Amino acid sequence: MVDAAFGHPRLAAIYDPLDPDRSDLDAYLAMAEEFGARSVLDIGCGTGVFALLLAGRGITVTGIDPARASVDVARGKPGAERVRWLDGDAGDLPPMQVDLVTMTGNVAQAIADPRAWRATLRGAYEALRPGGRLVFETRDPAQRVWEEWAEWTRETTYRMTNIPGVGHVETWAELTDVSLPLVSFRGTHVFAADGDVLTSESTLRFRERTEIERDLHEHGFVVEDVRDAPDRPGREFVFVARRDAAELVPPGMNAGQTGL
């Protein structure tokens, strides 16, 4: 299920103004350069911020997201014509062979359903050329960040933001459930222009490092590196996984599907 924060047209339209600092993407831009990527698939592209940054560097980019409203926002941005935008999940990708697959921000954790997670890894594997890489971040469960989130209330997280063309929007967040490995929270948005109140229910899955490494291996990847997130040092894992050039066939695929 798509969170309303991304899937509701009115909320998708204000996502960027409410979260304008995307310096977290600098590390991914650096990795695209480090790996010499000339083609990238951005899974969970949202409103297209990262995809457009890549395209601005002359990289061929495909962005996919199940939240149609967010992709519609991306399609309306300057330079959007340089990106191939797709509505859907990584399990529904057309044939492609890219150098790099990315999942930035909370994308990997937002894929909370185990079946959807496996389908995403299969889709990423199939989209990569042999030797291509998948990179994504996920919070380290050992840091127990949900204990900090337990302090979220209307009073502690309240913000009033004046958004051009929209007006003042009140926002706040509240933790709603901790049933590990799942952690859920609710975001509330109040539009001063008409009093409309919209909420978004979100759930993240906290996976252990060993669990992720096992999942990657089972889907044909070799874990090259597990890095620290520059914007959250000591709190997140940044996985760099390579599609094995030896063409290990992941579960659910046969040799014909991989070209062997």
Side-chain angles (χ1 to χ4, degrees), residues 110-154:
I111 306 171
D113 179 78
R115 290 170 298 181
W117 175 242
R118 290 192 294 270
T120 298
L121 294 181
R122 284 195 298 270
Y125 182 94
E126 293 173 21
L128 283 167
R129 63 167 176 78
R133 294 173 175 86
L134 164 66
V135 298
F136 63 93
E137 67 191 61
T138 184
R139 289 179 175 86
D140 181 1
Q143 300 303 314
R144 303 181 65 85
V145 68
W146 53 86
E147 294 179 352
E148 299 175 24
W149 295 349
E151 300 177 3
W152 287 0
T153 64
R154 186 184 189 282

Side-chain angles (χ1 to χ4, degrees), residues 52-138:
L52 289 168
L53 287 172
L54 290 169
R57 296 186 171 202
I59 295 173
T60 300
V61 187
T62 298
I64 187 168
D65 201 294
R68 175 71 178 271
S70 290
V71 180
D72 284 345
V73 171
R75 288 187 174 108
K77 291 183 174 181
E81 70 281 355
R82 294 178 293 184
V83 177
R84 182 188 187 188
W85 304 106
L86 300 174
D87 304 312
D89 300 306
D92 305 319
L93 286 164
M96 65 179 71
Q97 290 272 282
V98 300
D99 299 323
L100 182 66
V101 174
T102 59
M103 291 188 284
T104 66
N106 291 327
V107 169
Q109 286 191 263
I111 306 171
D113 179 78
R115 290 170 298 181
W117 175 242
R118 290 192 294 270
T120 298
L121 294 181
R122 284 195 298 270
Y125 182 94
E126 293 173 21
L128 283 167
R129 63 167 176 78
R133 294 173 175 86
L134 164 66
V135 298
F136 63 93
E137 67 191 61
T138 184

Side-chain angles (χ1 to χ4, degrees), residues 154-230:
R154 186 184 189 282
E155 291 71 27
T156 60
T157 63
Y158 178 88
R159 284 195 301 160
M160 173 78 81
T161 306
N162 186 24
I163 301 175
V166 175
H168 287 91
V169 180
E170 299 174 81
T171 60
W172 64 89
E174 300 165 281
L175 185 72
T176 56
D177 185 65
V178 178
S179 300
L180 296 176
L182 302 178
V183 177
S184 300
F185 50 94
R186 177 186 301 115
T188 301
H189 306 73
V190 182
F191 293 79
D194 57 9
D196 194 15
V197 179
L198 297 175
T199 59
S200 176
E201 305 289 339
S202 303
T203 297
L204 300 179
R205 178 176 287 270
F206 284 76
R207 299 178 177 92
E208 299 289 345
R209 173 174 173 168
T210 54
E211 176 187 359
I212 296 172
E213 290 176 338
R214 181 200 67 213
D215 290 346
L216 288 167
H217 176 74
E218 288 179 353
H219 286 82
F221 290 97
V222 175
V223 178
E224 272 192 344
D225 200 3
V226 181
R227 305 181 179 185
D228 207 8

